[in-house]
Amino acid sequence: MPEPLLEVRDLVKHFPLPRTLLDAALRRPQETVRAVDGVSFRLSRGKTLGLVGESGCGKSTLGRCILRLYEADEGEVRFGGVDLMRLDERELVPFRTRMQVVFQDPYASLNPRQAVGHTLLEVLDVHEIGAPGERRERMAHLLTQVGLSPGDAHKYPGEFSGGQRQRIGIARALAVEPELLIADEPLSALDVSIQAQILQLLLDLRTSLGLTMLFISHDLRVVRYLCDEVAVMYLGRIVERAATEDLFANPRHPYTIALLSAVPEVWSRPRDEIPIEGEPPSAMRIPRGCRFHPRCPWKVERCLAESPALERVRPDHEVACHVATARPAAGLPEAPAARPETAPEG
Ligand SMILES: Nc1ncnc2c1ncn2[C@@H]1O[C@H](COP(=O)(O)OP(=O)(O)OP(=O)(O)O)[C@@H](O)[C@H]1O
Ligand SMILES: [Mg+2]
């Protein structure tokens, strides 16, 4: 197997919550949000991995840890074989151009008082991309590449529509000629018709530039269309990962099935639906055993005590579920007659 461009191993990022004086007086224990709680995956060059899961499951935190916008507590982030977590700021500089990010709301990250051409030129200057005399031309080319016109260089962010601003966000990310693009909900602030245009732009750029992408999204339809593989995250862990077609055709984890069966456009087996039960989970109170068990219709005793690891069930398909991995085929288990109680949090 060729070396992946990106490999994440056992990554952990917890946020300790600030303690009030009352907490201290009552000697309450320090509370911690376990946003990313042991994530591992590999992403090959030129591939796009979709990262899906409910709000708050840790997708953005994972993306930020990879970029070292957040410092992870534990684990490894290997980029081109180099563990980024071990690098100091100076050693990180070259990697800061090799990886770029596009956020949901590009407006928040564009300087409203600067013409967009100026913003792009600044990026080219700071990172010394191309010869100084060529940079205006490069800037104009970037605008064209994302479907804007070189004449737009004089405009300010406020003069563009949401979709156009997202194009500028993408142009800025591309300015440094990155190898990896992390796109964190890049479409969710846009109208549906504009979403389709930006999605097409990302597809075109991936092909023409050979970009590797981590695509974070709530939208399973978009993920199915764009991504080569999909990882499903639940409460800080990946619970299932597979090639896109396989994941949509043969989901194995009950949480994946619940997610998919909530979207009729991607679900063709109405009789196998799993309605998602219970409250959305809190990353402060992660249940012991399998973290999905309080909402799981399949749970057995073992799920209350033992956290399942990701196990390979097909050549390119891994799942973390005691019940699903015990079954040889893609058949879905019956709900057990008597359900065990829920274990306390651990
Ligand atoms: N800087 C922070 N300080 C404290 N807690 C944080 C911080 N950033 C994120 N969290 C918490 O970590 C958990 C994961 O958040 P994250 O933003 O990564 O989720 P997400 O999957 O991206 O959600 P969404 O789909 O809503 O964007 C949440 O419980 C969130 O409240
Ligand atoms: Mg997020």
Side-chain angles (χ1 to χ4, degrees), residues 2-140:
E3 184 170 277
L5 178 63
L6 176 69
E7 180 169 14
V8 171
R9 286 189 199 160
D10 304 320
L11 200 74
V12 173
K13 175 68 183 170
H14 292 176
F15 295 105
L17 291 185
R19 297 193 82 199
T20 62
L21 284 175
L22 184 64
D23 293 333
L26 296 177
R27 301 194 180 186
R28 287 187 187 136
Q30 171 83 55
E31 292 220 272
T32 307
V33 178
R34 287 155 66 182
V36 174
D37 206 27
V39 165
S40 303
F41 68 89
R42 298 155 71 97
L43 178 54
S44 302
R45 206 174 272 280
K47 296 285 181 197
T48 299
L49 172 67
L51 189 61
V52 302
E54 278 167 304
S55 184
C57 71
K59 305 179 296 293
S60 297
T61 305
L62 174 60
R64 285 172 172 267
C65 289
I66 292 169
L67 294 157
R68 276 202 47 188
L69 297 174
Y70 287 159
E71 294 299 339
D73 302 322
E74 286 171 34
E76 288 177 18
V77 175
R78 305 187 81 83
F79 186 85
V82 178
D83 184 3
L84 301 184
M85 303 237 323
R86 293 181 190 282
L87 304 184
D88 61 29
E89 263 313 312
R90 193 180 50 81
E91 292 166 326
L92 257 184
V93 171
F95 292 93
R96 293 244 181 254
T97 58
R98 292 174 68 189
M99 306 184 291
Q100 285 291 300
V101 61
V102 175
F103 291 112
Q104 174 177 341
D105 178 12
Y107 198 57
S109 54
L110 289 169
N111 180 348
R113 281 184 282 280
Q114 202 172 53
V116 300
H118 188 123
T119 300
L120 293 176
L121 276 175
E122 206 170 66
V123 174
L124 296 173
D125 286 340
V126 166
H127 295 283
E128 299 180 354
I129 308 285
E134 288 174 3
R135 289 190 189 139
R136 286 202 161 269
E137 206 177 308
R138 248 173 210 272
M139 179 267 284

